[in-house]
Amino acid sequence: STCWWEHPTGIFHLTSTLPVIPYQKLTDLYYLSRGGFGTVFKAQHSDWRTTVAIKCLKFDSPFGERERNCLLKEAEVLHKARFNYIIQIFGICNEPEFFCIVTEFMSNGSLDLLLHEKDMYPIFAWPLRLRILYEIALGVNFLHNMNPPLLHHDLKTQNILLDGEFHVKIADFGLSKWRQLSVSKGSGSKPTEMGGTVIYMPPEEYEPSKSRRADVKHDMYSYAIIMWEVLSRQIPFEEVTNPMQIMFSVLRGMRPDTTLDSLPADIPSRGTLISLMTCGWGSNPDERPSFLQCLIELEPMVRKFDEIEYLEAVLEIKRSKQRSSCCAAEPVCEKRSDEGSLNILKTRPSPWPVSFFIHVHILI
Ligand SMILES: Nc1ncnc2c1ncn2[C@@H]1O[C@H](COP(=O)(O)OP(=O)(O)O)[C@@H](O)[C@H]1O
Ligand SMILES: [Mg+2]
């Protein structure tokens, strides 16, 4: 059986249920990120009068059918996987010189920023950290409950986005696969992946012969690493510089440090969280819990906090964000653009064809 996008009329099948957004309705493009695969902009929809995010194909290489199909596949997956904790797709823009998927815009960026920009967010209260972990699990559990199950296979803090109230939306379905299809179809479809990070990848993935059957437990391994990152506010395996070295060590059983040095004593339900985490990143995929089991463990923990405690944690984060952007608007922007993703535009030759600049107004 072939996938719908291999069918010559596949795009029509999708666009009969997903709005087609004309290119000229998207204005005020503001560059957000350039990943291994696509480029993401913030934009305005001129009719809807709202902010959206658009994920486009890279412009430096003339994009072929294969690249277009990857983004189409991502659009189809997002369209089918509609849920509270999954990024919402609004439509696709399908024009000869411009192809992108249009999604809701997440004003608080990705979880890795929230965790590691400690100058901007000196305090990150436990109730909110636990709520974020809980909502990621709710999102992935929904995907695994689809028919056939949808496996994300690229869970990492950069792919966990936060809305205006710091609720979670899982993004980036470029490597996701439908469980039954994956057996015959082989690996994911992002063309120039790798170069990405290896830290969320379960060890059985390095030995492809082993990994097929374990497909369902891949996401749980990544989730356990995310748990550690959220609870420690450290980058996993930061001290190891070589990705090959990380892979060797993980194969030999090394995992992030769970002592008091990394995971402070005041983490609520610390013991339970650590045992969930260590089961989740176990070497034997069969012994890792399902997301259902994980949710059953997390539910009583998030119920311990009341609504006010969550709101206070969110307010604290919002205050720090506002403080760091108003007190030193220029230096903060400068600093962030040097460290973050914006530097790509400064240090690399422009990836955009001239025609692109004529058509859109980039606000940087
Ligand atoms: N809807 C969105 N709202 C805000 N930022 C987004 C949105 N989608 C993506 N981003 C930003 O762009 C980055 C890359 O997007 P992603 O979909 O993960 O593409 P890639 O396949 O290149 O990793 C994210 O890590 C996030 O920082
Ligand atoms: Mg990504």
Side-chain angles (χ1 to χ4, degrees):
S1 62
T2 55
C3 303
W4 69 267
W5 64 87
E6 287 166 355
H7 194 270
T9 56
I11 181 93
F12 301 111
H13 166 75
L14 181 62
T15 56
S16 63
T17 51
L18 187 64
V20 175
I21 296 171
Y23 171 57
Q24 72 271 20
K25 301 288 181 194
L26 300 167
T27 64
D28 303 337
L29 269 68
Y30 179 97
Y31 170 85
L32 289 177
S33 153
R34 184 162 188 259
F37 171 60
T39 306
V40 180
F41 291 89
K42 175 183 171 182
Q44 303 301 318
H45 191 291
S46 58
D47 288 352
W48 300 345
R49 316 298 294 171
T50 58
T51 305
V52 295
I54 65 175
K55 185 172 179 175
C56 321
L57 292 170
K58 276 192 216 164
F59 291 88
D60 46 354
S61 51
F63 56 85
E65 217 32 31
R66 186 162 138 74
E67 284 76 14
R68 230 176 68 112
N69 284 345
C70 288
L71 209 53
L72 261 179
K73 188 203 157 210
E74 191 169 350
E76 193 226 13
V77 166
L78 286 174
H79 189 43
K80 286 189 173 161
R82 288 181 188 276
F83 192 57
N84 213 6
Y85 305 103
I86 307 296
I87 193 90
Q88 195 191 345
I89 186 167
F90 291 141
I92 62 174
C93 175
N94 178 34
E95 286 173 32
E97 76 287 6
F98 195 84
F99 187 81
C100 72
I101 60 182
V102 182
T103 64
E104 58 182 329
F105 173 68
M106 292 292 110
S107 57
N108 283 307
S110 58
L111 178 58
D112 74 307
L113 268 162
L114 186 55
L115 288 171
H116 305 303
E117 289 275 344
K118 291 183 185 149
D119 291 341
M120 195 187 303
Y121 307 114
I123 300 163
F124 186 175
W126 296 119
L128 183 57
R129 290 203 228 184
L130 294 200
R131 189 179 79 182
I132 288 172
L133 289 176
Y134 177 59
E135 291 181 346
I136 300 170
L138 284 171
V140 185
N141 181 60
F142 174 84
L143 300 176
H144 289 191
N145 271 285
M146 291 177 75
N147 188 17
L150 181 62
L151 312 172
H152 188 285
H153 282 194
D154 199 16
L155 291 175
K156 50 184 171 186
T157 52
Q158 294 95 316
N159 290 340
I160 306 298
L161 305 183
L162 299 151
D163 74 5
E165 302 311 312
F166 291 89
H167 284 288
V168 161
K169 304 274 175 180
I170 300 172
D172 197 352
F173 285 69
L175 289 176
S176 66
K177 24 189 136 153
W178 301 102
R179 191 182 170 191
Q180 275 139 16
L181 282 177
S182 67
V183 180
S184 55
K185 289 293 292 177
S187 63
S189 50
K190 268 189 189 177
T192 48
E193 195 51 29
M194 289 322 281
T197 175
V198 87
I199 64 178
Y200 304 94
M201 197 184 276
E204 68 270 12
E205 279 292 301
Y206 323 149
E207 305 162 285
S209 56
K210 274 195 186 177
S211 67
R212 286 293 130 235
R213 205 171 47 84
D215 258 2
V216 231
K217 296 299 180 74
H218 180 143
D219 287 337
M220 180 47 71
Y221 181 93
S222 315
Y223 180 77
I225 300 290
I226 293 174
M227 278 180 86
W228 185 86
E229 192 173 339
V230 168
L231 298 176
S232 68
R233 291 192 84 177
Q234 294 175 47
I235 293 164
F237 312 113
E238 195 176 17
E239 65 288 352
V240 191
T241 45
N242 178 354
M244 283 299 272
Q245 189 59 49
I246 296 177
M247 291 160 80
F248 279 129
S249 305
V250 168
L251 270 176
R252 274 192 264 106
M254 188 190 80
R255 295 294 185 273
D257 165 47
T258 56
T259 68
L260 290 166
D261 293 341
S262 303
L263 303 174
D266 62 336
I267 297 177
S269 318
R270 184 174 181 276
T272 319
L273 283 169
I274 291 180
S275 68
L276 189 57
M277 196 184 322
T278 49
C279 292
W281 68 36
S283 295
N284 181 353
D286 298 325
E287 285 169 14
R288 294 176 201 151
S290 65
F291 276 88
L292 173 65
Q293 289 167 316
C294 175
L295 283 172
I296 290 168
E297 298 269 345
L298 293 175
E299 276 162 11
M301 295 182 207
V302 291
R303 254 188 257 123
K304 279 190 191 138
F305 303 106
D306 60 35
E307 205 189 328
I308 302 294
E309 289 171 286
Y310 290 115
L311 289 173
E312 276 169 351
V314 168
L315 194 57
E316 199 164 33
I317 295 279
K318 288 193 179 195
R319 287 216 174 94
S320 347
K321 189 181 179 183
Q322 197 179 40
R323 222 173 286 131
S324 69
S325 58
C326 79
C327 301
E330 283 294 14
V332 168
C333 282
E334 279 291 315
K335 183 166 168 288
R336 285 213 37 216
S337 64
D338 283 346
E339 291 175 354
S341 44
L342 277 172
N343 66 343
I344 289 159
L345 280 191
K346 283 188 188 164
T347 53
R348 287 193 196 169
S350 164
W352 318 104
V354 175
S355 63
F356 182 72
F357 285 100
I358 296 170
H359 286 100
V360 295
H361 180 199
I362 302 185
L363 303 167
I364 294 182

